[in-house]
Amino acid sequence: MRLLVLTVLLSSLHALSSSGGTDTLSSGHALAGDARLVSSNGKFALGFFQTTAGGKSSNSTLSLYLGIWFNKVPKLTPVWTANVDNPVTGGTSPPELVVSGDGNLIISAHGTIIWRTQANITVDGDGDDTVAVLSDNGNLVLRSSSNASDVFWQSFDHPTDTLLSGAKIGRNKVSGFIRRIVSRKSSADQAPGVYSAELSLLGAIELLWRSSAVYWSSGTWNGRFFGSIPEMSGQSGPTLCNYTFVNNTQEVYFSYTLLDESMIFHNFLDVSGQMHTRIWSDLAQDWITAGTQPKDPCGVYATCGPFTVCNGDGDTFCNCMKGFSETSPENWELEDRTGGCIRNTPLNCGDADRNQTGMADKFYSMTNIRLPQNTEGSQNNASSADECAQVCLSNCSCSAYSYAVGGCSIWHGELLNVVAEDNGQTLYLRLAAKEVQGWKSKRRSGMVIGGVAIGAGIALTGFILAVVILRRIGKCRSSHTVDKNDRGGIGIIAFRYIDLERATKNFSEKLGGGSFGSVFKGCLLSNSTAIAVKRLDCAHQGEKQFRAEVNSIGIIQHVNLVKLVGFCCERGRRVLVYEHMPNGSLDHHIFQSHGMVLSWAIRYQIALGVARGLAYLHHGCRDCIIHCDIKPENILLDTSFVPKIADFGMAKFLGRDFSRVVTTMRGTVGYLAPEWISGTAITPKVDVYSYGMVLLEIISGRRNSRVDESSRDDDDDDDHGCYFPVQVAHELLSGSIASLVDENLLGDVNLEEVDRVCKVACWCIQDNESDRPTMGEVVRFLDGTSEPDMPPMPRLLNAMAGGSNLA
Ligand SMILES: *[C@@H]1O[C@H](CO)[C@@H](O)[C@H](O)[C@H]1NC(C)=O
Ligand SMILES: *[C@@H]1O[C@H](CO)[C@@H](O)[C@H](O)[C@H]1NC(C)=O
Ligand SMILES: *[C@@H]1O[C@H](CO)[C@@H](O)[C@H](O)[C@H]1NC(C)=O
């Protein structure tokens, strides 16, 4: 079995010796081993880094490249690579970078030159020579040592997959020289891939496949922003950059500069053809994606290669068509899918006996898809679906047909760009007869489903997300460290059950019960980190919840979301492993009068942190995730009381193209939005509602729900038997909020903040979901960047409270 994923390795070989570091390489000096140049601001480093491809250590290949990366980012992220076509592999003599006698930069290894700059260098003799300097913006500049403006060569003129702040994308009108961004072949192979970004003659940034098919355009520059990217105007949020568009007689180009140069900002064309903008978060220790273009990964031309179906709802979005298997599973692991999939069984066409019963090729109908666009559907005279099928069968190169209102279309050769979409069309895929018969009895391992059956219902709601993860789950009997480099920041471990038994001392120290399982404390023996281990009990429910958790928090990371360290699935066992939160859950701190009382400042920090976590779930990830069960029990606190949202067992995914999702009711009474109860489809606003309810409990230090209130017997005089959320609305309108605050705080509160939190909470629990703010707005209210208005009374709650005593 091949090792699951091994991508760009953080090169331990080059652990920074941090000997101060210089930004200049002058002639007579060599850069080798783990020595590096560091820009004077410390932001960029230049040196040799290593990537590893392939699984079993025996046939894996180590490749050494010279490159530039973000010096302070622990996940090695090359922004430029020199010897893209010529990595140094194997061998005993390590490569060296030197300034050669003629002033050019040269990489040599094993006594041969493997890469060189091709600059035309004219120095005026007299001891003047060239130096290579890594500048503060990540540009490697080869220039005269005496005159910094005399530049012979610079890496900004030869970008790889990244457009750095200050670099140009564009063309020189005089020489015809084009500065374009080119994707890499795979996460291990730095050779140029098939996708590129360049500035068109009309002044739009275009993404191209094989320099021919344009699959995305930014729209033309209108003086302030590109037409299709209005976000650049800064009207809908803060801008992080200044933009420059220059069109003069010499050249036309676009570039950006960061307003805050200390920010680590990565704008690059990824292996699968999507342009990503992401920002390094020190807190999360991960990249946070700020945007992608095209937004839908399936919008990239041929992103999954031939004979695949692209499905935008998920982390792994490429699947082979029925009857096909991955051409190169190794390359797929590295996200190089240009090879796509190949037939398991050759077509029977051309065989003299092909009309023999049962041997003729058959068609498999693929429903709800966007038809392939590579081969023009050729028109013909077929007037029925049967005739259309005959037209296809009579031509050996025909691979599929479709018959619809427009008539009969047939496709020859490879099928590209087939995308799964709701209400899509039907394509009839030609397959060998044997292949069609085979399905009833067996499933091919190369296909989507793998070892775990996914219900059609789940697929429909866009749950299928991480087929990769499911595959891993299918294979997790042996323990591997799963380290998915980048997409969504996965770095989760597949544990062996026996190791978890050891780590938890045979599940002895129980921390509590979550949904569908119990949680135990444990300790990872390898690095003695404390972990919380959730063992799911009931087989059926547990399975569903297990997948929901792995698919949601397994692929996203945020400082306010609990971190999934790993999982285990061996036979019937399903276990999830999280980082341990020493301060337990929020309910212990706000509802229990014994022990320490959370100060107002900490409560406010918790309110803001939870809002940030939810805002990230709702708007920050590629698919919107609705948590569906926000309540104090699911908010954990770390040592410094930073809140972490936990328990994603109920979470729902909302594909980009859907605004709401129908699902069975889930969650906890007391935090449920009214639309749950009325049975309509839900939106992220159900979380906003629950969040509002939690905010009220944070303020008051007691449960909103009456059941718990009745147990607080001694202070019925000041709440008039009124349902707390309603009371808040009343007090807000009458302007006396001090009485709402948890009396255990003894009045030690910031009333201005209390007022703010009360207003936000009251907005969040509005009956009508469109009246509730988004979590992004909540964050802005709470961090003070915008002011909430006075909310109206939530009618439904008022009616409920006024009507009877609800209990
Ligand atoms: C190098 O510079 C010389 C003198 O300026 C010029 O004649 C020659 O064409 C240049 N060569 C290249 C490859 O640019
Ligand atoms: C430095 O180089 C630039 C560009 O080649 C040239 O214009 C300038 O005159 C040079 N300055 C000196 C002092 O040589
Ligand atoms: C650049 O300017 C020229 C001349 O004004 C104009 O013809 C051309 O369309 C412009 N190109 C872009 C990309 O704006």
Side-chain angles (χ1 to χ4, degrees):
M1 193 197 305
R2 80 192 119 97
L3 217 139
L4 300 177
V5 179
L6 249 178
T7 49
V8 179
L9 265 194
L10 256 173
S11 161
S12 52
L13 201 83
H14 299 301
L16 179 56
S17 48
S18 73
S19 53
T22 165
D23 62 353
T24 306
L25 181 71
S26 29
S27 67
H29 292 88
L31 191 79
D34 59 4
R36 53 195 59 182
L37 298 186
V38 175
S39 61
S40 64
N41 60 0
K43 189 167 176 181
F44 293 96
L46 169 103
F48 288 97
F49 68 93
Q50 135 193 346
T51 67
T52 309
K56 299 175 218 110
S57 47
S58 57
N59 66 7
S60 69
T61 49
L62 281 185
S63 303
L64 273 175
Y65 292 97
L66 177 78
I68 298 173
W69 61 86
F70 294 107
N71 191 32
K72 289 172 185 154
V73 172
K75 289 189 181 183
L76 180 82
T77 308
V79 297
W80 178 77
T81 311
N83 50 322
V84 292
D85 293 312
N86 210 357
V88 182
T89 53
T92 45
S93 68
E96 280 190 339
L97 177 74
V98 294
V99 178
S100 74
D102 72 352
N104 271 294
L105 265 179
I106 284 178
I107 303 174
S108 60
H110 322 304
T112 55
I113 294 177
I114 60 158
W115 177 85
R116 60 174 293 145
T117 56
Q118 308 275 353
N120 206 347
I121 295 171
T122 50
V123 282
D124 323 322
D126 300 354
D128 191 14
D129 47 21
T130 58
V131 289
V133 180
L134 182 60
S135 41
D136 282 349
N137 54 8
N139 190 10
L140 178 64
V141 176
L142 189 63
R143 62 165 172 85
S144 149
S145 62
S146 60
N147 180 353
S149 337
D150 204 359
V151 172
F152 309 124
W153 178 95
Q154 53 182 338
S155 60
F156 272 13
D157 287 341
H158 308 274
T160 53
D161 63 352
T162 301
L163 184 67
L164 285 173
S165 167
K168 298 171 179 177
I169 177 169
R171 49 183 78 216
N172 185 312
K173 292 178 179 174
V174 182
S175 66
F177 180 72
I178 298 178
R179 287 186 187 87
R180 56 165 72 90
I181 306 297
V182 182
S183 67
R184 297 299 96 190
K185 193 162 183 322
S186 77
S187 50
D189 185 347
Q190 295 281 299
V194 292
Y195 300 105
S196 59
E198 61 181 63
L199 193 67
S200 73
L201 290 168
L202 293 174
I205 292 180
E206 290 179 340
L207 297 183
L208 295 102
W209 173 77
R210 296 198 194 280
S211 302
S212 55
V214 176
Y215 58 89
W216 179 81
S217 167
S218 67
T220 53
W221 181 256
N222 64 13
R224 285 196 308 135
F225 54 90
F226 288 109
S228 314
I229 323 179
E231 299 93 305
M232 286 173 77
S233 69
Q235 309 253 290
S236 55
T239 43
L240 306 168
C241 315
N242 272 329
Y243 305 108
T244 312
F245 189 93
V246 170
N247 178 17
N248 57 30
T249 53
Q250 296 292 311
E251 55 182 346
V252 49
Y253 69 83
F254 168 78
S255 75
Y256 71 91
T257 49
L258 294 175
L259 293 178
D260 173 4
E261 282 293 351
S262 68
M263 188 163 85
I264 299 181
F265 191 85
H266 192 211
N267 192 30
F268 73 111
L269 188 59
D270 79 359
V271 168
S272 51
Q274 232 181 351
M275 198 87 193
H276 287 247
T277 302
R278 54 186 193 168
I279 298 163
W280 177 258
S281 158
D282 271 334
L283 265 180
Q285 284 293 298
D286 202 356
W287 290 104
I288 309 288
T289 297
T292 53
Q293 302 290 357
K295 292 204 169 59
D296 180 358
C298 297
V300 175
Y301 192 91
T303 189
C304 300
F307 298 113
T308 54
V309 181
C310 185
N311 186 331
D313 294 331
D315 185 52
T316 293
F317 48 91
C318 296
N319 302 310
C320 289
M321 289 178 178
K322 293 275 190 215
F324 289 78
S325 301
E326 293 168 9
T327 308
S328 162
E330 290 73 26
N331 288 348
W332 275 59
E333 294 287 357
L334 299 167
E335 295 171 44
D336 172 12
R337 289 177 292 251
T338 43
C341 301
I342 50 165
R343 276 184 201 283
N344 298 326
T345 313
L347 292 177
N348 200 25
C349 195
D351 187 324
D353 293 333
R354 72 170 180 270
N355 290 328
Q356 190 189 323
T357 340
M359 288 308 288
D361 295 334
K362 297 217 163 22
F363 289 99
Y364 172 74
S365 70
M366 302 168 63
T367 53
N368 279 334
I369 58 156
R370 198 192 303 156
L371 296 176
Q373 44 174 255
N374 59 316
T375 323
E376 283 289 299
S378 56
Q379 300 300 317
N380 47 62
N381 297 327
S383 61
S384 71
D386 278 353
E387 281 180 40
C388 191
Q390 285 311 317
V391 173
C392 184
L393 280 180
S394 64
N395 184 330
C396 278
S397 72
C398 175
S399 46
Y401 78 92
S402 92
Y403 188 83
V405 189
C408 169
S409 307
I410 65 172
W411 283 266
H412 298 281
E414 294 184 336
L415 300 172
L416 291 175
N417 293 306
V418 174
V419 178
E421 66 180 9
D422 287 345
N423 308 319
Q425 292 174 275
T426 301
L427 181 75
Y428 294 90
L429 176 68
R430 182 178 188 174
L431 291 171
K434 174 167 158 266
E435 197 59 46
V436 178
Q437 286 146 5
W439 293 329
K440 289 176 188 100
S441 49
K442 64 168 190 191
R443 283 195 157 130
R444 298 197 60 92
S445 59
M447 283 196 279
V448 198
I449 307 292
V452 183
I454 315 170
I458 296 173
L460 279 178
T461 51
F463 230 138
I464 32 172
L465 248 228
V467 176
V468 163
I469 290 183
L470 291 177
R471 280 202 191 137
R472 286 176 199 155
I473 291 171
K475 294 174 178 178
C476 73
R477 235 144 296 152
S478 53
S479 168
H480 291 308
T481 297
V482 180
D483 178 17
K484 183 137 192 258
N485 172 24
D486 174 279
R487 186 189 300 282
I490 301 181
I492 57 179
I493 304 169
F495 287 97
R496 288 187 307 177
Y497 192 74
I498 178 168
D499 292 335
L500 292 178
E501 278 180 330
R502 227 171 275 149
T504 57
K505 299 207 179 78
N506 211 1
F507 298 97
S508 52
E509 195 178 339
K510 188 164 170 176
L511 292 171
S515 49
F516 315 120
S518 306
V519 184
F520 301 88
K521 190 169 175 198
C523 180
L524 280 187
L525 305 173
S526 55
N527 54 3
S528 49
T529 11
I531 49 173
V533 178
K534 186 196 284 188
R535 199 172 54 178
L536 304 165
D537 8 73
C538 156
H540 175 64
Q541 287 283 30
E543 183 68 39
K544 220 168 150 180
Q545 195 240 9
F546 178 73
R547 279 203 304 263
E549 294 238 359
V550 175
N551 283 346
S552 52
I553 48 168
I555 58 163
I556 51 175
Q557 280 183 18
H558 186 271
V559 63
N560 296 119
L561 304 178
V562 75
K563 187 160 181 268
L564 184 71
V565 179
F567 61 84
C568 165
C569 65
E570 280 177 21
R571 271 148 289 168
R573 292 171 174 138
R574 299 289 180 269
V575 185
L576 295 158
V577 181
Y578 307 90
E579 57 182 339
H580 177 245
M581 290 293 131
N583 274 318
S585 56
L586 179 60
D587 56 317
H588 287 291
H589 296 274
I590 55 176
F591 301 140
Q592 287 171 7
S593 42
H594 56 268
M596 178 189 140
V597 175
L598 286 187
S599 71
W600 177 256
I602 286 186
R603 290 180 200 223
Y604 202 80
Q605 165 187 317
I606 292 171
L608 186 54
V610 174
R612 289 200 169 120
L614 279 174
Y616 181 72
L617 282 182
H618 292 175
H619 324 294
C621 331
R622 196 161 61 179
D623 287 310
C624 171
I625 297 173
I626 310 177
H627 183 282
C628 293
D629 197 16
I630 293 295
K631 57 181 177 182
E633 288 76 1
N634 288 340
I635 296 167
L636 304 182
L637 302 170
D638 77 359
T639 34
S640 11
F641 290 92
V642 172
K644 314 259 182 182
I645 301 171
D647 208 334
F648 284 70
M650 309 260 188
K652 287 298 287 181
F653 284 86
L654 206 53
R656 271 172 313 280
D657 304 333
F658 304 93
S659 56
R660 46 178 74 231
V661 58
V662 181
T663 180
T664 50
M665 193 158 101
R666 43 183 81 200
T668 305
V669 176
Y671 304 90
L672 284 178
E675 59 265 28
W676 276 119
I677 298 156
S678 65
T680 50
I682 59 151
T683 68
K685 295 291 180 70
V686 299
D687 283 348
V688 176
Y689 187 95
S690 310
Y691 173 79
M693 285 298 187
V694 173
L695 268 193
L696 294 174
E697 297 182 329
I698 292 176
I699 299 165
S700 68
R702 61 181 173 175
R703 296 261 183 204
N704 295 328
S705 60
R706 306 226 101 201
V707 187
D708 271 54
E709 198 178 313
S710 61
S711 66
R712 295 172 57 96
D713 36 31
D714 48 0
D715 58 352
D716 49 289
D717 51 325
D718 65 346
D719 59 21
H720 316 295
C722 184
Y723 187 45
F724 185 68
V726 176
Q727 194 191 342
V728 170
H730 278 300
E731 303 293 346
L732 263 179
L733 294 170
S734 69
S736 61
I737 45 162
S739 65
L740 300 170
V741 180
D742 188 349
E743 61 236 40
N744 290 320
L745 286 168
L746 308 171
D748 187 9
V749 295
N750 175 335
L751 279 180
E752 196 256 329
E753 285 177 356
V754 173
D755 180 63
R756 193 180 283 273
V757 174
C758 285
K759 280 183 186 158
V760 169
C762 198
W763 274 115
C764 290
I765 59 171
Q766 293 294 313
D767 310 313
N768 192 337
E769 62 187 35
S770 61
D771 291 337
R772 295 175 211 149
T774 63
M775 285 317 297
E777 284 166 332
V778 169
V779 170
R780 287 194 287 282
F781 290 146
L782 292 183
D783 72 12
T785 41
S786 82
E787 285 300 321
D789 292 331
M790 185 58 83
M793 170 66 68
R795 284 186 322 278
L796 197 66
L797 283 177
N798 194 27
M800 280 157 68
S804 74
N805 266 355
L806 203 106

